[in-house]
Amino acid sequence: MEKKEQIRLVIALALSFIVIFGWQYLTGPSAEDQALMAQKAAEAEQKTASLTQQQTQSVATEAVPATDFIPTAGTQVTVDTPLYTAVFNSQGGILEQFILKNYKDTIEPDSPNVDLIGRKAFAKGPLGLILTKNDKEFHTWKRGEWAFSGTDLAIREGDEAKTLTFKGQSGGFNIERVLTFNPDTYLITESTTVTNMTAVGVEGSLSYTAAAKSMSAEDDRYNPTKVAYLTKDGREEMDDRDDLKETGLSAAGELKWGAIESNYFLFAVMPGSDSASLSAGVQDDIFRMAVTDDATFMPNVAKTLKASYFIGSTDREMLGTMPNQLAEAVNFGWFDVLAKPLLIGLNFFYGYIGNYGIAIIILTIIIKLIFWPLSQKSYGSMEQMKKLQPMVKKLREKYGDDKQRLNQETMALYKTYKVNPMGGCLPMVVQIPVFFGLYKALLGAVELRHAPFIANLPFTDLPWLADLSAKDPYYITPIIMGASMFLQQKMTPSAGDPTQQKIMLFMPLIFTFMFLQFPSGLVVYWLFNNLLSIGQQLMIARSTKKATLDA
């Protein structure tokens, strides 16, 4: 080989080493990654060895099949408590119905009680178990045999907790479900014992499922049915049905609970461990959810896992006593800090009055009194502006063609007489957070669902304000509310700019249109707040007039 060729060969080899080892250096795992990979490999090897050892022992001793299991036909089993009637099907222990005794579908006297499951949801296995073995799923209520030897349960107030036991076999597993019911809550606890009846240990999981019909109308923007969950990173929710249908959602990371919920009702699953994960979506218009615990099932070794369910109303007091921070299921968003104290106040007055409409009016008066000094100062400023109107009119006549000069002279006039032209808006601005807090409270408080103010339109049999969480069916209160806003506008000094004057006159119309669909309880609040404000304005106007005459 000639010298030049030898040099080329050496260079080629050097470049090849540089490319190979350089690439590995740049793209290869870091020292930390290598340590993690080695740890995982060791764990996998250890688990494999354990399973293999168990398998060897099991082969030697042979798995012992259950001898006391005799399948029975699926039958209905009823649990009756003071709060609900639950109808189970013994084929898998899934729910057929869950009827709430204290809540009706509508305000009609003959309306049926709320069933949180629904006929169509039964096929999706509410309260069912899904066992997974080597990535193969066994929907135990479909692919399994079950036996039940108990009876219906009747649990009365003051009784001890009672249990139902369902036994089954599916996918080579022996399953025992023990469900515990309490007379005074919607909480149901479950202890599930799974025994791998095969001779081979497997990696798998156990999923606790929920399935329910929509708890609200599909086009109800104020009360959507959604999927919510709480992890170590906080509470999240998804209410877009299209997204839930197409992509669904999943969550992990110290899952506390997952729930199908509306403003008033809740079907929650709370895992018994911190390692559970959540998957949920909408299928055939049924909301579905699974809370999954990974598990290793050794041959002939019984493994017990636990979970809890809450199926009922969003009773905040009851939710506050539930495990896994389930109270977080009721959340009023940004205005949670205002909405919950307002509800406490509302319920306090209701405890004495017995009518939520009157309780809202009392709460409105209290809020008005709290903001009274601020409103007093604001309305006083507006009275001062009234006195300046003749001078403002002269400025318009003088500088009408020069907008910039007109504004400068007008502001100079206000400054001279120490009048704030924005002072009139201040009370409304300050009350906006209170308004939204009460808005969220009235929409989300289950105690206001179907709560009446005035049952019938006066001198008629027509229902009117019979449900403070629903809109006024005849739009009477929104129209009166709009008229009161218009009167307020007329009592307020007009802005200097004619265009602004026209815009302000449109405000009552815009608000009336918005309030047409709002819960009537909220309209009642805003209407009485307007009436109180008009009264306050009249008092200040008379006082100012008297002071002027006396001067």
Side-chain angles (χ1 to χ4, degrees):
M1 187 179 293
E2 294 182 1
K3 189 175 181 180
K4 287 184 178 179
E5 291 178 342
Q6 291 177 347
I7 293 173
R8 288 173 186 162
L9 178 60
V10 171
I11 293 173
L13 289 172
L15 290 173
S16 298
F17 276 108
I18 290 171
V19 169
I20 293 171
F21 290 105
W23 178 259
Q24 289 182 349
Y25 177 78
L26 292 173
T27 62
S30 63
E32 291 81 4
D33 292 337
Q34 289 178 347
L36 184 62
M37 291 167 62
Q39 182 184 351
K40 288 184 176 179
E43 290 175 355
E45 187 177 352
Q46 188 177 6
K47 189 170 287 185
T48 302
S50 174
L51 289 174
T52 304
Q53 185 181 6
Q54 290 288 339
Q55 178 179 352
T56 305
Q57 293 173 354
S58 299
V59 168
T61 58
E62 293 188 358
V64 180
T67 56
D68 59 345
F69 181 78
I70 302 174
T72 57
T75 184
Q76 288 187 338
V77 185
T78 300
V79 177
D80 189 73
T81 80
L83 295 174
Y84 61 82
T85 300
V87 180
F88 289 84
N89 190 301
S90 64
Q91 176 63 24
I94 60 175
L95 275 172
E96 291 190 9
Q97 294 178 312
F98 199 93
I99 299 170
L100 305 181
K101 291 186 174 179
N102 298 326
Y103 299 94
K104 289 183 173 292
D105 277 337
T106 70
I107 61 173
E108 298 297 328
D110 57 349
S111 174
N113 286 71
V114 170
D115 175 13
L116 287 182
I117 302 302
R119 184 174 51 84
K120 289 176 61 180
F122 172 64
K124 307 298 182 186
L127 230 65
L129 296 180
I130 300 176
L131 275 164
T132 303
K133 183 170 69 175
N134 296 330
D135 297 327
K136 187 175 181 181
E137 287 188 351
F138 293 88
H139 293 215
T140 59
W141 64 95
K142 290 181 179 176
R143 301 177 62 184
E145 295 180 313
W146 289 83
F148 178 72
S149 58
T151 60
D152 295 342
L153 294 183
I155 308 173
R156 301 293 170 244
E157 196 169 344
D159 285 355
E160 296 290 328
K162 295 183 180 180
T163 62
L164 280 181
T165 301
F166 299 101
K167 294 181 179 179
Q169 291 184 346
S170 178
F173 295 105
N174 194 39
I175 308 162
E176 181 178 272
R177 306 185 66 182
V178 180
L179 299 172
T180 303
F181 307 88
N182 298 278
D184 53 353
T185 76
Y186 296 109
L187 182 70
I188 301 171
T189 58
E190 171 162 4
S191 176
T192 315
T193 301
V194 178
T195 306
N196 180 1
M197 300 303 292
T198 68
V200 181
V202 294
E203 291 295 332
S205 64
L206 177 64
S207 299
Y208 297 92
T209 71
K213 65 179 183 180
S214 177
M215 298 175 184
S216 55
E218 188 171 353
D219 58 349
D220 192 340
R221 293 177 298 161
Y222 301 110
N223 180 25
T225 300
K226 53 185 175 282
V227 175
Y229 61 88
L230 180 70
T231 67
K232 64 178 181 179
D233 298 322
R235 183 185 186 280
E236 298 287 343
E237 64 180 42
M238 179 184 283
D239 61 11
D240 189 303
R241 294 195 187 205
D242 291 334
D243 288 345
L244 286 169
K245 284 178 184 175
E246 293 168 8
T247 60
L249 67 82
S250 59
E254 297 183 20
L255 179 73
K256 298 292 183 184
W257 51 262
I260 300 166
E261 66 173 13
S262 68
N263 289 353
Y264 308 123
F265 302 110
L266 179 73
F267 189 162
V269 181
M270 295 164 277
S273 74
D274 291 336
S275 58
S277 59
L278 170 79
S279 57
V282 172
Q283 189 179 55
D284 301 329
D285 291 328
I286 299 299
F287 286 79
R288 302 188 70 183
M289 184 177 67
V291 172
T292 302
D293 259 332
D294 291 333
T296 300
F297 299 108
M298 298 297 186
N300 290 316
V301 176
K303 190 176 186 70
T304 300
L305 297 97
K306 296 185 176 181
S308 303
Y309 310 94
F310 185 96
I311 313 172
S313 69
T314 53
D315 182 323
R316 295 182 306 285
E317 186 176 350
M318 189 185 293
L319 287 172
T321 66
M322 292 296 110
N324 291 34
Q325 299 175 250
L326 189 59
E328 294 291 321
V330 177
N331 188 284
F332 300 113
W334 289 92
F335 300 98
D336 193 74
V337 69
L338 285 172
K340 287 181 177 174
L342 287 170
L343 275 175
I344 291 173
L346 204 57
N347 284 314
F348 174 79
F349 295 125
Y350 176 78
Y352 289 97
I353 305 299
N355 183 301
Y356 273 110
I358 297 175
I360 288 173
I361 292 173
I362 294 175
L363 189 65
T364 308
I365 294 171
I366 299 293
I367 293 172
K368 190 65 186 175
L369 289 175
I370 292 172
F371 288 107
W372 187 273
L374 184 62
S375 302
Q376 193 80 357
K377 190 174 181 180
S378 171
Y379 295 143
S381 178
M382 286 193 289
E383 286 300 316
Q384 292 297 321
M385 284 184 67
K386 277 185 181 177
K387 294 179 180 178
L388 300 182
Q389 290 306 300
M391 287 184 272
V392 172
K393 186 178 179 183
K394 288 182 180 178
L395 290 175
R396 284 184 200 153
E397 292 170 356
K398 188 174 181 180
Y399 301 109
D401 296 331
D402 187 347
K403 299 289 185 188
Q404 186 175 1
R405 182 67 184 275
L406 175 61
N407 286 336
Q408 289 174 348
E409 294 295 334
T410 305
M411 295 308 296
L413 179 68
Y414 289 151
K415 189 175 181 181
T416 301
Y417 287 92
K418 298 180 181 179
V419 173
N420 182 2
M422 298 302 293
C425 300
L426 191 57
M428 182 177 288
V429 172
V430 172
Q431 288 187 63
I432 283 177
V434 179
F435 166 77
F436 277 107
L438 193 59
Y439 166 74
K440 297 294 288 186
L442 293 175
L443 273 180
V446 69
E447 57 265 45
L448 286 164
R449 181 181 183 270
H450 295 176
F453 177 25
I454 302 172
N456 298 100
L457 198 63
F459 312 113
T460 73
D461 294 330
L462 299 172
W464 182 59
L465 304 184
D467 180 1
L468 287 168
S469 67
K471 67 179 183 180
D472 183 336
Y474 310 111
Y475 308 114
I476 295 171
T477 47
I479 292 172
I480 298 175
M481 188 278 301
S484 67
M485 281 195 75
F486 181 76
L487 181 59
Q488 273 189 296
Q489 288 289 346
K490 300 304 289 183
M491 294 172 67
T492 304
S494 58
D497 189 341
T499 305
Q500 291 182 28
Q501 293 178 29
K502 292 178 183 175
I503 292 174
M504 293 305 290
L505 284 175
F506 269 106
M507 290 298 288
L509 190 63
I510 294 169
F511 268 68
T512 302
F513 181 76
M514 286 170 50
F515 275 62
L516 290 178
Q517 304 300 323
F518 277 4
S520 54
L522 192 67
V523 183
V524 168
Y525 161 74
W526 201 254
L527 169 59
F528 273 85
N529 184 63
N530 283 354
L531 296 178
L532 291 172
S533 297
I534 289 170
Q536 189 179 11
Q537 281 183 266
L538 288 174
M539 287 173 58
I540 292 175
R542 288 176 182 173
S543 175
T544 304
K545 187 177 180 180
K546 185 174 182 300
T548 304
L549 291 174
D550 292 343

